[in-house]
Amino acid sequence: MARDNSSRVTEFILLGLSDTRELQLLFFTFFLLAYTMVLLGNLLIIVTVRTDPKLSSPMYFLLCNLSFIDICYTSVTAPRVLVALLSGHKAIAFEGCMAQLFFLHFVGSSEMFLLTVMAFDRYTAICRPLHYTAIMARRACWALVAACWAGGFIHSIVQTVLMLQLPFCGPNTIHSYFCDVPPIIRLACADTALTEWLMASNSGLISLGCFLVLVASYALILAKVRARVSQGNWKALSTCASHVMAITLFFVPCIFTYLRPAGTLPTSRYVCVIYTILSPMMNPLIYTLRSHEVKESMWRLWKSCRT
């Protein structure tokens, strides 16, 4: 039964990761270092790819877009977490909370779609090398990236509209350090069973679907290269292994968080750290900085900056 909605909630209280001051300082240091690494690592990749004509292949074009998305994705949550940990101010306005939820899902789902496109790019390059330049032409790459952003926007609009339809008139304490669907929907003053299933089928199935497509694509690549053990194929195999590690780090916590109704089990606040902070921090190392071509380009950029 719905409760009285005469006093609508105007702000939420984000409890964060801990109430202990010592742990809050520890978390502040961790988030500050991680966010700095995300910004510097991904900005370095963007500048390197944009300034070096040798890094003009579709793979590096997609990696440059991934770096931009990672910066946006982490910036949705990290700056406010840092301010809250340092100042102790945990309140966030209702409108600000909904805006954070919108941009979190907008950028996060766009990254899921982009990672799927990147797996398709690697599959085409390794399994269909003679058709690679025709399939992954620059116009096609732009269209795929635009489709990723459009898909993320549509997904996020659906999530946000469903949340705005719910009445919030009672508890306003969110057991997390950012605004997201699972902890907020538990505070609604109404029966949310249908809404929970709709949101789980939206976010959860997108996460699971993209993850299965990614695993299948890398499995096909593995089946293609295992019979031809050469230096190039071992390099491709090593690259695919690192990519699988990256997508596992990002997708598995998302599937655990979103592929179930919000009221079944509480979502661990520490699980959220994996896909909001750790994954964007590791992506530059896993996807790009292991590349010999990128390291050479960065070295040339460094030398040109010194002269």
Side-chain angles (χ1 to χ4, degrees), residues 19 103 121 222:
D19 293 328
F103 286 108
D121 170 74
L222 176 62

Side-chain angles (χ1 to χ4, degrees), residues 246-303:
I247 65 173
T248 301
L249 188 66
F250 181 66
F251 278 93
V252 171
C254 289
I255 294 171
F256 171 77
T257 301
Y258 297 113
L259 193 61
R260 55 188 172 85
T264 54
L265 290 172
T267 302
S268 173
R269 289 174 281 182
Y270 302 103
V271 170
C272 299
V273 176
I274 299 175
Y275 63 86
T276 58
I277 296 294
L278 289 182
S279 180
M281 183 179 65
M282 296 299 296
N283 279 346
L285 298 174
I286 293 174
Y287 280 100
T288 308
L289 297 181
R290 296 177 68 253
S291 169
H292 180 67
E293 293 85 356
V294 173
K295 287 187 288 188
E296 284 188 343
S297 297
M298 288 181 176
W299 178 244
R300 288 194 295 268
L301 180 64
W302 169 253
K303 289 194 295 185

Side-chain angles (χ1 to χ4, degrees), residues 1-221:
M1 179 181 295
R3 287 173 284 181
D4 181 25
N5 193 28
S6 58
S7 58
R8 184 175 179 84
V9 169
T10 59
E11 67 176 17
F12 293 105
I13 305 299
L14 297 169
L15 293 184
L17 294 169
S18 175
D19 293 328
T20 307
R21 188 57 183 169
E22 290 77 12
L23 286 177
Q24 288 179 351
L25 293 175
L26 180 63
F27 284 128
F28 174 82
T29 304
F30 166 75
F31 273 85
L32 180 61
L33 291 176
Y35 186 48
T36 303
M37 290 177 64
V38 169
L39 292 179
L40 294 180
N42 286 290
L43 282 174
L44 179 60
I45 290 169
I46 293 173
V47 172
T48 302
V49 172
R50 297 291 295 175
T51 56
D52 194 337
K54 294 182 179 180
L55 302 179
S56 59
S57 67
M59 179 181 71
Y60 294 114
F61 171 77
L62 296 174
L63 286 172
C64 185
N65 281 274
L66 177 65
S67 293
F68 175 73
I69 286 180
D70 277 336
I71 291 174
C72 296
Y73 185 55
T74 311
S75 297
V76 174
T77 58
R80 202 196 177 286
V81 173
L82 291 171
V83 172
L85 288 171
L86 194 61
S87 65
H89 182 68
K90 299 181 178 182
I92 182 172
F94 179 86
E95 294 78 9
C97 189
M98 293 298 107
Q100 187 180 59
L101 184 148
F102 171 80
F103 286 108
L104 179 77
H105 282 266
F106 176 29
V107 182
S109 55
S110 298
E111 178 163 352
M112 291 183 182
F113 296 136
L114 182 61
L115 289 171
T116 307
V117 170
M118 290 172 63
F120 173 75
D121 170 74
R122 290 300 83 208
Y123 168 80
T124 307
I126 295 172
C127 299
R128 302 188 63 186
L130 298 180
H131 302 88
Y132 178 68
T133 54
I135 295 174
M136 297 300 295
R138 180 50 64 100
R139 180 176 296 181
C141 290
W142 277 109
L144 289 170
V145 171
C148 292
W149 284 103
F153 180 79
I154 294 171
H155 159 76
S156 187
I157 281 290
V158 172
Q159 294 288 90
T160 307
V161 169
L162 287 173
M163 290 298 296
L164 290 174
Q165 299 303 311
L166 297 175
F168 297 93
C169 55
N172 67 337
T173 302
I174 299 176
H175 293 269
S176 183
Y177 59 92
F178 62 95
C179 292
D180 199 5
V181 171
I184 296 178
I185 200 172
R186 298 189 183 97
L187 305 179
C189 307
D191 183 5
T192 60
L194 178 60
T195 306
E196 288 179 27
W197 281 106
L198 289 174
M199 291 187 171
S201 62
N202 188 358
S203 296
L205 289 181
I206 286 177
S207 303
L208 181 61
C210 290
F211 180 69
L212 293 178
V213 170
L214 286 163
V215 172
S217 64
Y218 285 118
L220 291 173
I221 293 173

